[in-house]
Amino acid sequence: MPDDKRMRLIINGKSAGDPRLRAAVGQQRDAGHVVEVRVTWECGDAARYAAEATREDVDVVIAGGGDGTVNEVVGGILSVDHPHQTAVAVLPYGTANDFAAGCSIPIGDPLAALALAATGTPVSIDVGRANDRYFVNVASGGFGAEVTTNTPPELKKAIGGAAYSLMGIVTAAKASPHYGRVTLPDGTSRSGDVLVMTAANGRQCGGGQRVAPNALLNDGLLDFMIIHDVDIQSFGKVLSEILTLDSKDNQHVSYVQLPELKVEFDNPFQVNLDGEPVRSHEFVFRVCPQAIRFVLPNSAPLV
């Protein structure tokens, strides 16, 4: 790519008027970079703008928002068939910004995030897929997905990521496990109750919960965590096992790295793909190796 990049910022209308953002865009333009701005109005706009930018061979599409916006931008780029070199950068403006936080992308500093987008070197990373839907960061299912969906927007805004933990404590007492079957790539399967499961490309979700401490964005694998059915008295042991996911002594929490995993449930199972809810009786999670280019800090979790 040339030093002076053509960038297209896709930003929600609620954030577009931020004086710091306007000043940061102006500084990048003064530095010689082309920064075009598209403001979203409704669901689907970010994907449409991203696809449009890709067809026009824009160097970098900047996802201005949270994990859902990043997801929508990536989906828009991957929907374009013709060969291209368009990369993605992130300008965090969401509630939790788990992907950005896990990659050490500057949060709360529009100038630093835009400077990274303008000067960073893109690297190819993996993308996860759940059935026919993409996810960049984490697909979370069961109890965790229900907490994210049921947390009121006002609570998220007021206390940020802590809202998810608070709602988790409230919901845990009445959480019901889902009976299902997990099938590995070699065809072996295991049936039982599942309280929580995550398929992770990134390392954290739910406002800072580290569900995949060993995940790398370009290793060709997804990190799967499954919490089996437990009673309320065992929650302390579960929390301890979550902090030691690699331990062979864990009884309630399983953690494995695989390119693919299939899960089937007796009843509809809710999965949040980068925070966006989807329900199905069956999910096939698989990795799409090095499917898209991202502009990331050197400290991002890469091979």
Side-chain angles (χ1 to χ4, degrees):
M1 287 185 182
D3 290 337
D4 296 337
K5 296 178 181 177
R6 181 186 179 192
M7 301 184 291
R8 187 163 296 174
L9 169 63
I10 299 174
I11 187 77
N12 186 282
K14 296 179 180 178
S15 305
D18 183 353
R20 297 179 306 157
L21 174 59
R22 289 179 172 269
V25 168
Q27 289 188 45
Q28 293 306 315
R29 287 172 173 168
D30 291 342
H33 301 292
V34 176
V35 185
E36 304 160 344
V37 180
R38 299 290 184 272
V39 179
T40 64
W41 173 260
E42 57 193 354
C43 182
D45 281 352
R48 179 166 56 84
Y49 288 146
E52 179 183 82
T54 304
R55 286 190 290 268
E56 296 175 9
D57 293 320
V58 170
D59 294 319
V60 180
V61 176
I62 305 170
D67 294 322
T69 300
V70 177
N71 179 289
E72 196 171 335
V73 165
V74 167
I77 291 175
L78 292 179
S79 72
V80 177
D81 291 333
H82 78 76
H84 60 81
Q85 292 296 308
T86 299
V88 181
V90 181
L91 175 60
Y93 261 97
T95 302
N97 298 306
D98 281 301
F99 180 78
C103 293
S104 301
I105 295 171
I107 297 175
D109 189 342
L111 180 58
L114 284 181
L116 173 63
T119 61
T121 301
V123 59
S124 294
I125 70 167
D126 305 333
V127 172
R129 188 160 183 155
N131 296 345
D132 61 347
R133 297 277 297 272
Y134 293 110
F135 62 95
V136 183
N137 189 44
V138 175
S140 60
F143 165 51
E146 292 156 8
V147 169
T148 303
T149 300
N150 294 331
T151 302
E154 297 79 8
L155 185 57
K156 292 180 186 179
K157 184 175 181 180
I159 58 177
Y164 299 106
S165 298
L166 177 60
M167 285 301 296
I169 294 170
V170 172
T171 309
K174 55 182 180 181
S176 298
H178 298 261
Y179 186 82
R181 180 168 64 252
V182 177
T183 303
L184 301 176
D186 63 5
T188 60
S189 63
R190 173 184 173 185
S191 298
D193 287 330
V194 174
L195 184 62
V196 177
M197 77 159 295
T198 57
N201 188 42
R203 291 189 169 181
Q204 66 181 57
C205 68
Q209 306 299 316
R210 290 177 66 85
V211 296
N214 300 331
L216 299 172
L217 294 169
N218 60 346
D219 61 356
L221 299 168
L222 295 176
D223 288 41
F224 295 93
M225 181 188 73
I226 298 177
I227 300 178
H228 312 287
D229 185 23
V230 293
D231 55 39
I232 191 70
Q233 289 79 16
S234 301
F235 269 28
K237 183 69 166 66
V238 170
L239 292 175
S240 175
E241 291 186 7
I242 289 174
L243 296 175
T244 56
L245 289 173
D246 291 330
S247 175
K248 296 180 180 179
D249 297 327
N250 287 350
Q251 297 177 325
H252 305 296
V253 182
S254 300
Y255 183 76
V256 63
Q257 294 176 304
L258 296 168
E260 182 177 320
L261 191 73
K262 180 180 180 180
V263 293
E264 302 165 274
F265 294 93
D266 290 347
N267 297 308
F269 188 71
Q270 179 171 312
V271 170
N272 288 350
L273 307 178
D274 296 333
E276 302 302 312
V278 179
R279 295 180 74 87
S280 178
H281 284 273
E282 177 181 310
F283 286 95
V284 177
F285 299 99
R286 57 171 56 94
V287 69
C288 304
Q290 301 189 19
I292 197 164
R293 286 149 52 84
F294 257 79
V295 180
L296 299 170
N298 293 331
S299 54
L302 298 165
V303 173

